[in-house]
Amino acid sequence: MDTVLCFNISVKDKETSQILDYHGCNMKCSVLSDGSQDYQFILGRPDAVYFYQLEGRGAALAFEGEKLQLHWYRSYLVIISKEAKVVSQSAVDGQTREMNILTIYDIKNKFIAYSAPFPVVIDVVCEWGLLYVIAGDQQLYLLQEKDTQTKLDMLFKKNLYVLAISLAKCQQYDEHGLVDIFRQYGDHLYSKGDHEGAISQYIKTIGYLEPSYVIRKFLDAQRIHNLTLYLQALHTQGLATEDHTTLLLNCYTKLKDNSKLDEFIMTKSKEEVDFDVVTAIKVCRQAGFHNHALYLSEKFDQHHWYLKIQLEDIKDYANALQYIAKLDFYEAEAIMKAHGKILVNEIPEQTTELLKRLCTDYRPTDMPLVDASSLDGSAPSRVMQSKPDEFIHIFVNNSAKLREFLEHMIRVQANSSSLIYNTLIELYLQDGAHETDAGKKEIKEKKILEMLQNPEAGYAIDQALMLCQMNNFRPGILYLYEKDKLYQQILSYHMEHEEYTSIIDTCKKFGSEDPSLWVQALWYFAKTEDSHKTYLSEVLSQIDKKNLLSPLMVVETLAQNSTATLAVVKDYIIKRLKSENDVIAQDERLIKQYRDETTKMRQQIEELKSSAQIFQVSKCSACNHPLELPSIHFLCQHSYHQHCFESYAENDQECPACLSKNRKLMDTIKEQEQNRDLHERFHLQLENATDSFSVIADYFSYNVFNKITLISDPQPSSQEVKVQPLSSLPNLQLKSERLQQQQKR
């Protein structure tokens, strides 16, 4: 055959032919491959084997020797050829036969799978997945392909790992199978000292082989470069852990490869980052690569680490504060609580200003002055404010700035918490206590008192009082006592300091609200050994005026003072005796009056019993209009129209005008009767009780010892009345009973 032709018969009656080559081949020296070689047409010539496609001749393989036959078995090319130089012969049954070479080529993997001499090969048959060789010695030879694992084992023994990998891929080995081959190949190269080749194979095992298996092999300082390549591949595939990131960055720092470190850290976007950011920050910071650590911290919003590096390592406090001022409210608040103390110590002025903004109306410095949401008519954003109470602790070493901060807060927020006011008061008191200049001290004390007297100041009185006492601030103590109505404490304060005039002034000022102050003053002056006649006279005068103590108690109290003479209490005793005499005279007049009234009432009762009463009242006591029949008359000289009485009266037995007075009188009499019974029971129980004090305490709760006040009625006028039955005269009966009880007393 001198040419190679390609016929296109896909269209009926329009068949075409195309010459692919002008050189043909011998008979049986052509074959068609399978799909693994894209169904190429293969020709065998003495110099090579040629492959043809529809478009023309393709690749050629230089297989020398005269080709007798070509066959295709699975993915193998079977070539029967003559030996080029020597003709192999074999004596079989006494006959001499020519020998052929049968060679099986793996075209895809480019290796000879099998080669052996056979007596003159008549034909090769591929059936039932087997290869049969019909030889000239009248023998049928069977060639059976070994399984893949056996092939691989043979290749492993010969260290043909590249060929083994290619074969495994052709056999559609899974990833786990290939990884094991890569690992063996890497181990082989590592044992030969080819570390670069070994690491390239180990990189192919990432995701299946434990990274520690590879890392342990390359921990030697001389192999850091190879280890770096493996760790980079781990990060690229997103399988690196924090430890791997730490190890890779340490490798960069050991190699001092700044370009690689810059590439690893500074050239990747947030989406491309394949390592743990916090771990990278820690390693860079520890290794002294602060710029890289700051870059990562700022890029990935690791505010805490950024500020730790700035404040603790670089000590660039100004930049740190500017960075905080750009953060949103909640982040800036949390960071100032954590790092504010350092900033106040280093740059107090700028830090205090930032805190003022944070506690009033905070806006990040890179935020526009005009809120975009307010331009479209929507509601403005909420004002963000921190609680100044939470930042007091950061000023622990700078009281001046703390005072400035607190003064600003109460100036812009008058409703600040009590802690703010109390802390500011404490600062003022401490400042005033350490002031040596009298003029400045007076000004500062005046400032403190003005704050205490400010009605809008929301300090806690108890704590402010304690602070004033600790710093011995007299005006503040007295003012807070007065504000909290602790008048007894004011008096005690003056007594402790022996301020006699102030004691009297305090009693005069607050005695109307707490009269017991005069009693306390009396006890105080009675216990002092010095003579204070003027003060005692004033106290006794007020006690007498307000009737705070009995004369006996006053005398007993003054008896405790060895220097007090009778002249001190002479005027008081004379005045009290005169007052008692006046009371006795008044009581005697009342007794005589009650007796006269009782006699007169008895006479009236007798008259009522024996004679008629004439009513001459001309006007109604309810409407004040002239009386008309029908009318109702009472012995108390009150008369009513019948319709007026029915409108005003609560019942038909009592006068509406006298009803309230009669009820009060009845209540008083009833109370007297009950108390009389209580007194009798009290004395009886007191005589029989084993614990007299308990009985007395119980009766104190009954108000047994309270003074009872009697209500007296005006004497009725004598008028002519119409007689009514005595049963309809309740007010008269009440008066009669009251008079009888008074006479008994």
Side-chain angles (χ1 to χ4, degrees), residues 12 20 24 77 145 172 274 285 363 370 385 417 464 489 517 521 565 587 605 623 638 670 675 685 704 708 730:
K12 188 177 180 181
L20 299 180
L77 177 63
E145 183 180 6
Q172 305 297 322
D274 49 16
R285 182 191 180 198
R363 288 177 179 272
V370 179
Q385 294 178 342
S417 67
Q489 277 69 17
L517 295 176
T565 62
D587 290 342
I605 293 172
C623 64
H638 291 128
K670 184 177 180 180
N675 287 339
Q685 292 182 12
V704 170
I708 300 175

Side-chain angles (χ1 to χ4, degrees), residues 88-92 95-99 119:
S88 301
Q89 295 181 347
S90 176
V92 180
Q95 299 180 3
T96 301
R97 294 183 178 84
E98 183 180 357
M99 302 297 289

Side-chain angles (χ1 to χ4, degrees), residues 231 428 465 495 655 716:
L231 293 172
Y428 284 160
L465 181 59
M495 290 177 178
C655 173

